Amino acid sequence: MIGVDPGTASTGYGVVGQTTEREFELLACGVIRTEPKQLMHLRLLELHQDFCKIIAEFNPDEIAVEKLFFGRNVTTAITVGQARGTILLAAAQNGLPLAEYTPAEVKQAITGYGNADKRQIQEMVQRLLNLTQLPRPDDAADGVAIALCHLQNTRFSIL
């Protein structure tokens, strides 16, 4: 399972496996960064290529991605939407099922509180995966949280 927090400057991802019905393990996490001075279409191409490499390396059975949160900054929302589209395209090209979650749904699933802050999410991800350190950077931790949100939702929908 790969969870993705899309962005054009930095796309966070977390690869999480399920070891038992109630336990998960972190296989990898990180960020895909693109150069802000590059033209947007080249940044999106780089994001697509790098994400496809991650898919090829980990061979997930599904992908979960954060839904677009539309705040006050329209320009940011548009560029995040473009990054999301690139991730959705990569999932479709690889025949992977896709789940989408709002930031509040992820926060609720991970911390039990839909308005949790970044630090609270990182601490719960650390606890849920028995990590010795907080997952970093923030975008990578968010990718891991999205993956865990999906795995927990899937588990509860089966029960």
Side-chain angles (χ1 to χ4, degrees), residues 16-17 24-26 124-131 144 148:
V16 178
F24 308 108
E25 69 176 330
L26 181 63
M124 282 306 298
V125 166
Q126 180 183 16
R127 284 186 196 136
L128 289 168
L129 294 172
N130 296 314
L131 303 175
V144 176
L148 285 170

Side-chain angles (χ1 to χ4, degrees), residues 5-25:
D5 179 24
T8 50
S10 178
T11 291
Y13 68 90
V15 184
V16 178
Q18 191 161 358
T19 56
T20 68
E21 184 179 312
R22 295 177 182 231
E23 293 184 0
F24 308 108
E25 69 176 330

Side-chain angles (χ1 to χ4, degrees), residues 70-79:
F70 188 85
R72 297 182 196 274
N73 191 332
V74 176
T75 304
T76 300
I78 291 170
T79 60

Side-chain angles (χ1 to χ4, degrees), residues 2-132:
I2 299 178
V4 184
D5 179 24
T8 50
S10 178
T11 291
Y13 68 90
V15 184
V16 178
Q18 191 161 358
T19 56
T20 68
E21 184 179 312
R22 295 177 182 231
E23 293 184 0
F24 308 108
E25 69 176 330
L26 181 63
L27 303 175
C29 69
V31 294
I32 300 169
R33 296 191 192 281
T34 63
E35 181 58 45
K37 293 179 183 176
Q38 260 188 329
L39 297 172
M40 183 56 74
H41 70 288
L42 297 176
R43 293 174 78 182
L44 295 173
L45 175 62
E46 183 179 344
L47 173 59
H48 181 268
Q49 290 170 337
D50 289 351
F51 190 64
C52 284
K53 288 177 188 174
I54 293 166
I55 290 172
E57 180 178 351
F58 292 100
N59 194 27
D61 21 352
E62 50 194 340
I63 293 175
V65 64
E66 188 171 84
K67 284 184 181 176
L68 183 59
F69 173 75
F70 188 85
R72 297 182 196 274
N73 191 332
V74 176
T75 304
T76 300
I78 291 170
T79 60
V80 170
Q82 291 172 324
R84 268 182 42 85
T86 300
I87 298 302
L88 300 179
L89 174 62
Q93 287 177 322
N94 287 277
L96 294 168
L98 185 91
E100 299 176 274
Y101 298 95
T102 65
E105 288 172 323
V106 174
K107 292 173 182 181
Q108 181 69 38
I110 299 304
T111 68
Y113 178 58
N115 288 322
D117 62 30
K118 293 265 187 201
R119 179 72 179 199
Q120 290 170 310
I121 293 169
Q122 287 176 315
E123 289 172 355
M124 282 306 298
V125 166
Q126 180 183 16
R127 284 186 196 136
L128 289 168
L129 294 172
N130 296 314
L131 303 175
T132 58

Side-chain angles (χ1 to χ4, degrees), residues 21 62 99 101 149-159:
E21 184 179 312
E62 50 194 340
Y101 298 95
C149 171
H150 180 69
L151 288 168
Q152 289 179 341
N153 281 340
T154 303
R155 184 179 85 210
F156 289 129
S157 68
I158 293 171
L159 298 177

